[in-house]
Amino acid sequence: MPKQAVLLFAGQGAQKVGMGKDLAEAYPAVRAMLEQADAAIGYPLSQIMFEGPMEELTKTSRCQPALYTHGLALLEVLKSKVPDLEFTATAGLSLGEFTAHAAAGTFDFATGLNLVFQRGSFMEEACETTRGAMLAMIGGEETAIRELAAECDVDVANLNAPGQIVLSGSVEEIEAAAAKSKDKGIKRAIPLPVAGAYHSRLMKGAQDKLAIALEAATIVSPAVPVVCNFEARTVIRPEEIRATLTAQVTGSVRWVESMQHLIAEGHTLFIELGPDATLAGLMGKIDKSVKVISIKDTATLDAAVAELLA
């Protein structure tokens, strides 16, 4: 009986200089994907992935297509090595939701690449025209953090794991939230090294432009369930996929509920595809009863293949 697994894809922040280099050297199919990405985008994405510098790779317009391409390259090799592995659902954190849709067949590689390149560019433009920041709240109660967000007029950007919630808003309001965090029983308030206020109302300009791009893109119902961040549920119809991918730009990433939804559906094995093991770490805080295999490079790929074939 073939093994069944849910695919999880990394979000922005997981990028690392050198990502994909060993895969491209080992697998012609990965080299071909990277060459296709370079040609489609019109700049040497693969060179930035392999050599950096990190400041360039971290740019939203570079980072998003890099993570998208890397995740799908890992999947391509995994499928070739474990052909009877059955993918029963997909999900991705923020940007990773686009990779999840490509993996599920909602759109092809080229269409998704164009969408994430535009998404990253639109968000980069929004960062340049607003003074935004993000703040990770560690160890606080969700109710208290939501109260703080309302008092300081900032948005809840990410609900990543129990005790790990991220706020997003203007620099001044985020600083005010940090100053008041102890009063709300929050253990630590950590400013994040990001260019702007992602998943907040300050991304409205990017959201409006992405909506137009999504409307023009060819989108079909996925072959397997895809769980969306914005509503933490499975989306099937093309119109609801467009709507939730658009809403996600300014809306909260409800990662905890998304994973709980999948676990409630009976999924017990998850495979994370991305440059680090962030999603496995989050799952350890959400539900320790399920298993997550993280695949980042050729070494972890070989180990995962051995485990899946055992």
Side-chain angles (χ1 to χ4, degrees):
M1 181 177 174
K3 286 191 175 179
Q4 298 180 328
V6 175
L7 302 178
L8 302 178
F9 292 96
Q12 194 165 331
Q15 68 275 3
K16 296 183 184 300
V17 172
M19 59 189 284
K21 189 172 189 295
D22 58 343
L23 290 165
E25 291 170 349
Y27 301 104
V30 174
R31 287 199 297 277
M33 287 182 74
L34 288 167
E35 288 169 3
Q36 181 182 348
D38 288 348
I41 294 176
Y43 66 81
L45 177 67
S46 58
Q47 182 179 339
I48 296 168
M49 291 167 63
F50 298 167
E51 302 173 10
M54 189 62 179
E55 293 76 13
E56 184 69 15
L57 180 59
T58 300
K59 288 180 180 178
T60 310
S61 60
R62 306 302 197 235
C63 172
Q64 295 199 15
L67 286 167
Y68 171 86
T69 303
H70 183 254
L72 293 176
L74 285 169
L75 176 59
E76 185 73 17
V77 179
L78 178 63
K79 289 194 295 187
S80 71
K81 287 181 170 289
V82 192
D84 65 342
L85 182 62
E86 182 182 346
F87 306 115
T88 51
T90 69
L93 183 72
S94 189
L95 169 277
E97 189 174 331
F98 283 79
T99 323
H101 274 293
T106 304
F107 37 70
D108 61 24
F109 173 72
T111 298
L113 180 67
N114 183 52
L115 285 171
V116 299
F117 175 60
Q118 290 186 83
R119 181 182 187 267
S121 299
F122 298 153
M123 291 172 72
E124 200 167 275
E125 291 169 9
C127 290
E128 290 168 356
T129 57
T130 59
R131 291 188 70 245
M134 300 180 77
L135 187 69
M137 316 301 280
I138 308 299
E141 295 293 330
E142 182 179 337
T143 301
I145 294 171
R146 287 190 179 279
E147 287 176 359
L148 178 63
E151 290 172 12
C152 297
D153 197 28
V154 297
D155 297 314
V156 176
N158 296 65
L159 297 104
N160 289 331
Q164 187 180 128
I165 297 174
V166 179
L167 301 183
S168 185
S170 74
V171 170
E172 295 80 10
E173 288 159 344
I174 285 293
E175 288 174 349
K180 296 177 66 174
S181 61
K182 293 290 186 185
D183 298 337
K184 295 292 184 180
I186 298 157
K187 291 181 181 178
R188 287 187 295 160
I190 304 171
L192 298 182
V194 295
Y198 304 125
H199 298 291
S200 80
R201 70 198 80 166
L202 296 186
M203 290 291 112
K204 182 64 168 60
Q207 183 182 57
D208 293 342
K209 292 174 184 175
L210 180 62
I212 296 170
L214 283 164
E215 193 59 41
T218 300
I219 290 177
V220 300
S221 295
V224 299
V226 180
V227 176
C228 72
N229 290 187
F230 182 66
E231 295 182 354
R233 65 173 179 89
T234 300
V235 288
I236 299 172
R237 302 188 312 276
E239 59 267 27
E240 67 180 344
I241 291 168
R242 288 188 174 92
T244 53
L245 287 174
T246 300
Q248 187 223 71
V249 176
T250 59
S252 301
V253 173
R254 295 163 57 187
W255 190 249
V256 176
E257 292 171 86
S258 296
M259 295 303 97
Q260 289 171 338
H261 171 81
L262 286 164
I263 294 166
E265 292 288 314
H267 301 288
T268 58
L269 176 62
F270 296 75
I271 298 175
E272 174 182 8
L273 299 164
D276 65 11
T278 295
L279 303 182
L282 295 179
M283 187 68 87
K285 297 174 182 177
I286 295 167
D287 192 326
K288 291 184 172 62
S289 70
V290 300
K291 181 177 181 60
V292 183
I293 298 172
S294 292
I295 302 178
K296 302 177 285 186
D297 49 25
T298 53
T300 51
L301 175 66
D302 291 343
V305 168
E307 183 174 354
L308 291 167
L309 292 175

